[in-house]
Amino acid sequence: MSSSISSFALALAVVLAGTGSLSAQSAPLTAQDSDPRVMGWMQGFPPPPDRLITQPDSNYFSFPKLRWSVCHLREFLPTERISRGLGAPKPLDYVAPHVFADMRAEIDALTFTPMDDEEEMTWEESLYANYTDGMLILHEGKVVYERYFGCLEEDGQHAAMSMTKSVTGLLAEILVVEGALDDTALVRDIIPEIGDSAFATATVRQVMDMTTGVKYSEDYADPNADIWLYSAAASPLPKPEDYDGPDGYWEYLQQVEPEGAHGEAFHYKTINSDMLGWIISRTTGTAVTEMASERLWRPMGAEQDAYQTVDGKGVPFAGGGISAGLRDLGRLGLLMLNGGEIFGQRLFPAEVVEKIRAGGDPAKFAGFPTIPGGSYTSQWWVFHNAHGAFAARGVHGQTIYVDPAAEMVLVRFASFPQAKNGYIDPTSLPAYQAVAEYLMDR
Amino acid sequence: MSSSISSFALALAVVLAGTGSLSAQSAPLTAQDSDPRVMGWMQGFPPPPDRLITQPDSNYFSFPKLRWSVCHLREFLPTERISRGLGAPKPLDYVAPHVFADMRAEIDALTFTPMDDEEEMTWEESLYANYTDGMLILHEGKVVYERYFGCLEEDGQHAAMSMTKSVTGLLAEILVVEGALDDTALVRDIIPEIGDSAFATATVRQVMDMTTGVKYSEDYADPNADIWLYSAAASPLPKPEDYDGPDGYWEYLQQVEPEGAHGEAFHYKTINSDMLGWIISRTTGTAVTEMASERLWRPMGAEQDAYQTVDGKGVPFAGGGISAGLRDLGRLGLLMLNGGEIFGQRLFPAEVVEKIRAGGDPAKFAGFPTIPGGSYTSQWWVFHNAHGAFAARGVHGQTIYVDPAAEMVLVRFASFPQAKNGYIDPTSLPAYQAVAEYLMDR
């Protein structure tokens, strides 16, 4: 593999799996100090050489550069549009301005205790602790809190990372509930050319819930880890002349080895999401971008197009490729809170959300200590807590957090230095709970 | 140069300069037979191997594949958005539906004689003769004709090719008229690091009018032609390890050699447009994408974001990188017809359009036999005909044609097999004149 490709594969790998490494093992820069405007990334025409962030630069998705890059993925990679259509957007409702101002002050001052008995923290402190780029909170259908930081502005777009999986999963669940897709079918019955891949004998539901028994390692220390081959396959760049691996997401999926039995346990492996994307496209005859546009972005009155990165054959990255506007993911959250309705219109059957909210089997769920007793179904995380909360989640702190008991939708874009939400949850999930309780008490 | 990069450079070169070659020297497929839906490009999940169009495939911008690719450039290349903002688009006015239907029938039946005394042709025949993808005609501010073909739909985006230059030139002219940019200044006084480049001693006006004396050849048969180096510099892909040429548009511009004297003659060379883009960014402190959004796309009520391809350092391709919606270029045409006003709002001084309409010096203009007595100024083509027509033009048949006498704006997207408009004008310019006369006689 030539060095230029492998550097791209590295960059893509961090986008794929969000393993952006810290540039130093010492404490990272604070949110304020790493603000891309403070850092001066890409400022000037041209920027100074040490402030340039380029695609050939394999560090573009490592902290602190990632604080700029999360808002600019399309400038590095080929993408496909998720169209909002051509009409007027349907504006979100807001509480009255004086109420909004009061609530912002009150929410900012809310205190909570992070997990692991750390010191009490205010909500506003948590925004910086989590390197928040955008925070939107809706209560009873109205925006009550909205702030932007770092690279993000209200008309900007931010990497959704693995929240993309939840869009893919929602589209699949819509197809299942509407009867277009049989979730008990085997993958090989829908996609015969999956061949001898370990996916062949998994059911659609196992793919949706990531309970397949498929080999896929993301050990970055291992040069033979599957993530490298996946990244090389997914790269939209010309393959090196000596490359003889799979070309594109779908060719990769055709050669996945088994690991364990299907249906026994939840294993968070991105390749399931891309398998599901292929199943959706084969079922509907449309790309996932097109279905997301037709079923979600257009009818929900999105105010911005979203976009999705693609592989070298134009296949959208169903496991992590979406970038979108903060308020548009708020619309998506409202749809999930309100059982498929938004602005008085039903976009899909209530049963879709009911099934997702009900969750998967917590007995099969392990490995996520910040989500004890949780589950994962249809590519959504379900907390099984008293409020019935469930969420879309992506590395570096992305979330759409839906709290039905509090009638709250919370959307956060972030660029936390480390990828794993396990590092970010301790100052996030208790904070969300505090806001939910505040809203319920008003 | 490694073969993978050179194949990309070839692909980029054809995008840059629109030299998409015919795959055979025999008569190309007709518009109907080469319709991408008929050809089946990129249909299926996945498409059959022989119906795939990929970025590593250096033929993606050659006929007949280009008939698909002109609507999908962002799926091959990194891009930067030209934002329309978040509000409701301002819809174009239409004549009443029954009038629209009548006029469509009448316009389709109009006949004209192509240049070179060819046989008479109907307007509708000319649409197919020119491999039209989209045609929009506005008269007295209202849409009177609108049709889509091939890869384009009303909510799609199409490569504007060198019409991008006219957006760049319009932005520059706005800055000149508003006093922010002195068009008598030398490039080196605005951009000192242009160094010893031949551009250093050119005036801004000479850059705007492409009367610089700069060496830049686009002879594709010559492996040492400048276009290859420009394409290699512009490629957003990692450079080959042995590459020691310029990296990005702007580094290329710093090493351009002189050829002839500045100010003596019009030479159509894309590097002037990128020089102008740099001048704009240095003057305004914004990327051309940002200025196009702030001064044009947002205030003109665009219904779609546009986008612009970028080099490996994120610099938008000011000479050819824009893709946009058909009706949004109609809005741009209305602005040019109405001296900077649209929907009752003034976006820039009337003098901007007056200067462009007045044209450059026809005595310096040669080499374009289909535009006898024409000129080029501020990156717009001026016909100096009885109607005072002027136009943005891009290879493969792109145009925004403004006919002030007829109060007509005509926008065409196309994917003609050959790049040069000299092949397309004979069945286009007389057709536009016929429509203009029809509209004036109504």
Side-chain angles (χ1 to χ4, degrees):
Chain A
M1 194 176 290
S2 82
S3 68
S4 66
I5 295 294
S6 65
S7 90
F8 182 84
L10 174 60
L12 194 72
V14 296
V15 174
L16 283 169
T19 56
S21 55
L22 299 178
S23 39
Q25 287 305 311
S26 54
L29 293 170
T30 64
Q32 293 90 335
D33 291 343
S34 65
D35 186 309
R37 296 164 296 188
V38 173
M39 298 293 291
W41 299 125
M42 298 300 275
Q43 290 177 16
F45 299 92
D50 69 346
R51 299 293 100 173
L52 260 176
I53 303 180
T54 70
Q55 187 211 66
D57 169 6
S58 63
N59 289 319
Y60 78 85
F61 219 74
S62 292
F63 183 85
K65 288 180 180 173
L66 80 84
R67 300 218 63 204
W68 186 85
S69 301
V70 286
C71 295
H72 298 272
L73 277 187
R74 68 179 293 165
E75 297 162 39
F76 299 114
L77 296 166
T79 57
E80 200 166 282
R81 181 177 58 156
I82 298 174
S83 175
R84 65 166 199 91
L86 297 178
K90 294 172 190 154
L92 291 177
D93 287 328
Y94 282 74
V95 292
H98 69 283
V99 176
F100 187 92
D102 287 349
M103 291 184 75
R104 163 154 166 191
E106 289 166 10
I107 292 173
D108 279 344
L110 287 175
T111 58
F112 66 93
T113 304
M115 293 177 183
D116 310 324
D117 289 318
E118 293 171 31
E119 274 182 40
E120 215 173 49
M121 180 182 272
T122 68
W123 168 264
E124 188 170 36
E125 287 167 348
S126 80
L127 297 178
Y128 293 101
N130 292 323
Y131 297 75
T132 302
D133 295 323
M135 175 63 75
L136 179 76
I137 305 176
L138 294 121
H139 181 228
E140 296 174 348
K142 293 184 178 179
V143 178
V144 297
Y145 190 94
E146 183 177 13
R147 293 184 70 178
Y148 297 90
F149 304 85
C151 63
L152 193 64
E153 297 182 351
E154 65 171 355
D155 57 356
Q157 297 159 309
H158 193 288
M161 309 309 299
S162 291
M163 294 199 289
T164 305
K165 295 176 170 73
S166 303
V167 175
T168 305
L170 172 60
L171 297 176
E173 193 65 69
I174 290 171
L175 294 172
V176 169
V177 170
E178 292 182 344
L181 175 63
D182 174 5
D183 66 357
T184 68
L186 300 184
V187 171
R188 70 181 175 203
D189 293 333
I190 297 170
I191 301 178
E193 65 266 45
I194 200 65
D196 294 331
S197 164
F199 277 113
T201 54
T203 66
V204 170
R205 173 55 56 190
Q206 288 160 348
V207 173
M208 291 173 72
D209 292 357
M210 291 209 195
T211 58
T212 53
V214 294
K215 181 174 170 296
Y216 181 75
S217 64
E218 294 191 3
D219 177 359
Y220 290 84
D222 175 5
N224 296 315
D226 302 292
I227 178 66
W228 301 115
L229 184 58
Y230 201 48
S231 301
S235 167
L237 304 191
K239 299 284 185 276
E241 278 176 54
D242 58 350
Y243 180 83
D244 61 356
D247 184 1
Y249 294 110
W250 294 350
E251 278 195 16
Y252 182 95
L253 297 174
Q254 289 174 295
Q255 51 88 68
V256 171
E257 302 283 329
E259 184 176 273
H262 296 314
E264 294 196 341
F266 165 65
H267 302 290
Y268 188 71
K269 295 182 177 181
T270 296
I271 52 175
N272 287 287
S273 310
D274 289 299
M275 189 70 248
L276 191 56
W278 194 0
I279 290 168
I280 289 169
S281 289
R282 182 59 60 88
T283 301
T284 62
T286 61
V288 287
T289 44
E290 179 71 16
M291 187 182 172
S293 169
E294 294 296 335
R295 298 304 303 260
L296 301 173
W297 259 255
R298 288 173 190 258
M300 79 187 183
E303 58 191 22
Q304 297 190 62
D305 293 338
Y307 64 82
Q308 199 154 352
T309 59
V310 294
D311 70 14
K313 294 175 171 176
V315 174
F317 178 27
I322 291 179
S323 288
L326 183 69
R327 290 201 290 248
D328 287 333
L329 293 196
R331 287 171 171 83
L332 197 60
L334 279 183
L335 274 174
M336 298 306 290
L337 177 69
N338 297 324
E341 287 191 351
I342 188 167
F343 304 125
Q345 285 200 299
R346 172 161 300 285
L347 305 197
F348 48 80
E351 187 187 347
V352 171
V353 177
E354 286 160 16
K355 288 177 69 179
I356 291 172
R357 281 178 59 172
D361 183 354
K364 294 179 181 171
F365 185 89
F368 293 85
T370 57
I371 313 178
S375 72
Y376 190 82
T377 192
S378 306
Q379 316 267 312
W380 288 77
W381 301 83
V382 182
F383 295 92
H384 297 279
N385 64 12
H387 284 199
F390 59 105
R393 289 159 60 89
V395 287
H396 296 286
Q398 325 312 320
T399 201
I400 302 171
Y401 183 91
V402 182
D403 183 326
E407 290 188 66
M408 178 182 84
V409 170
L410 181 152
V411 185
R412 181 181 66 192
F413 282 134
S415 42
F416 192 82
Q418 289 175 285
K420 284 190 180 172
N421 279 311
Y423 295 116
I424 315 168
D425 283 340
T427 53
S428 299
L429 296 178
Y432 302 166
Q433 184 67 21
V435 175
E437 288 166 8
Y438 158 81
L439 294 173
M440 293 171 84
D441 288 345
R442 283 193 91 242
Chain B
M1 192 178 291
S2 83
S3 69
S4 65
I5 296 294
S6 66
S7 90
F8 182 83
L10 173 62
L12 194 71
V14 296
V15 175
L16 284 170
T19 57
S21 55
L22 299 178
S23 39
Q25 288 304 312
S26 54
L29 293 169
T30 64
Q32 292 90 335
D33 290 344
S34 65
D35 185 310
R37 296 165 295 188
V38 173
M39 298 292 292
W41 299 124
M42 297 300 275
Q43 289 176 16
F45 298 93
D50 68 347
R51 299 294 100 175
L52 259 177
I53 303 180
T54 70
Q55 188 211 64
D57 168 7
S58 63
N59 289 320
Y60 77 86
F61 219 72
S62 293
F63 183 85
K65 288 181 180 172
L66 79 85
R67 299 217 66 203
W68 185 86
S69 301
V70 286
C71 295
H72 298 272
L73 278 186
R74 69 178 294 164
E75 297 162 39
F76 299 115
L77 295 166
T79 57
E80 200 166 281
R81 180 177 58 155
I82 298 174
S83 175
R84 66 167 198 93
L86 298 178
K90 294 172 190 154
L92 291 176
D93 288 328
Y94 282 74
V95 293
H98 69 283
V99 176
F100 186 93
D102 287 348
M103 291 183 76
R104 164 155 166 190
E106 289 166 10
I107 292 173
D108 279 344
L110 287 175
T111 58
F112 67 94
T113 305
M115 295 178 183
D116 310 325
D117 289 319
E118 293 172 32
E119 274 181 39
E120 215 172 50
M121 179 181 272
T122 68
W123 169 265
E124 189 170 34
E125 286 167 349
S126 80
L127 297 178
Y128 293 101
N130 293 322
Y131 296 74
T132 301
D133 295 322
M135 175 63 74
L136 180 76
I137 306 176
L138 294 122
H139 181 229
E140 297 174 347
K142 293 184 179 179
V143 178
V144 298
Y145 190 95
E146 183 177 13
R147 291 183 71 176
Y148 297 90
F149 303 85
C151 63
L152 193 64
E153 298 183 349
E154 63 170 357
D155 57 356
Q157 297 158 309
H158 193 289
M161 308 309 298
S162 291
M163 295 199 288
T164 305
K165 297 176 170 71
S166 303
V167 175
T168 305
L170 172 60
L171 296 176
E173 193 66 69
I174 290 172
L175 293 173
V176 169
V177 170
E178 291 182 343
L181 174 62
D182 175 5
D183 66 356
T184 68
L186 299 184
V187 172
R188 70 181 176 203
D189 293 333
I190 296 170
I191 301 178
E193 66 266 44
I194 199 65
D196 295 330
S197 164
F199 277 114
T201 54
T203 66
V204 170
R205 174 53 57 189
Q206 287 160 348
V207 174
M208 291 172 72
D209 291 358
M210 292 209 194
T211 58
T212 52
V214 293
K215 181 174 173 293
Y216 181 75
S217 64
E218 294 191 4
D219 177 359
Y220 291 85
D222 174 5
N224 296 314
D226 301 293
I227 178 66
W228 299 114
L229 184 57
Y230 200 49
S231 301
S235 166
L237 304 192
K239 299 285 184 276
E241 277 175 56
D242 58 352
Y243 180 82
D244 61 357
D247 184 1
Y249 294 111
W250 295 350
E251 277 194 18
Y252 182 94
L253 298 174
Q254 290 174 293
Q255 51 88 66
V256 172
E257 301 284 328
E259 185 175 273
H262 296 314
E264 293 195 340
F266 165 65
H267 302 290
Y268 188 71
K269 294 182 177 180
T270 295
I271 52 174
N272 287 287
S273 311
D274 288 299
M275 188 70 249
L276 191 57
W278 194 358
I279 291 168
I280 289 169
S281 289
R282 182 60 60 87
T283 300
T284 62
T286 61
V288 289
T289 44
E290 178 72 15
M291 187 181 172
S293 169
E294 294 295 335
R295 297 305 303 261
L296 301 173
W297 259 255
R298 287 172 191 258
M300 78 187 187
E303 59 191 20
Q304 296 192 61
D305 293 338
Y307 64 82
Q308 199 154 353
T309 59
V310 294
D311 69 15
K313 294 175 172 175
V315 174
F317 178 28
I322 290 178
S323 288
L326 183 69
R327 291 201 289 249
D328 286 334
L329 293 195
R331 288 172 170 81
L332 197 60
L334 279 183
L335 274 174
M336 298 306 290
L337 177 69
N338 297 324
E341 287 191 351
I342 187 166
F343 303 124
Q345 284 199 301
R346 173 162 297 286
L347 305 196
F348 49 80
E351 188 188 346
V352 170
V353 177
E354 286 160 16
K355 288 177 68 179
I356 291 171
R357 281 178 59 172
D361 182 354
K364 295 179 181 172
F365 185 89
F368 293 87
T370 57
I371 313 177
S375 72
Y376 190 81
T377 192
S378 306
Q379 317 266 311
W380 288 76
W381 301 83
V382 182
F383 295 91
H384 297 279
N385 64 11
H387 285 199
F390 59 104
R393 289 159 59 89
V395 286
H396 296 286
Q398 324 313 319
T399 202
I400 304 171
Y401 183 91
V402 183
D403 183 324
E407 291 190 65
M408 177 182 85
V409 170
L410 181 153
V411 185
R412 180 181 67 193
F413 282 133
S415 43
F416 193 82
Q418 289 175 285
K420 284 189 182 173
N421 278 311
Y423 296 116
I424 315 167
D425 284 339
T427 53
S428 299
L429 297 178
Y432 301 166
Q433 184 68 21
V435 176
E437 287 166 10
Y438 158 80
L439 293 174
M440 292 171 82
D441 289 345
R442 282 193 92 241

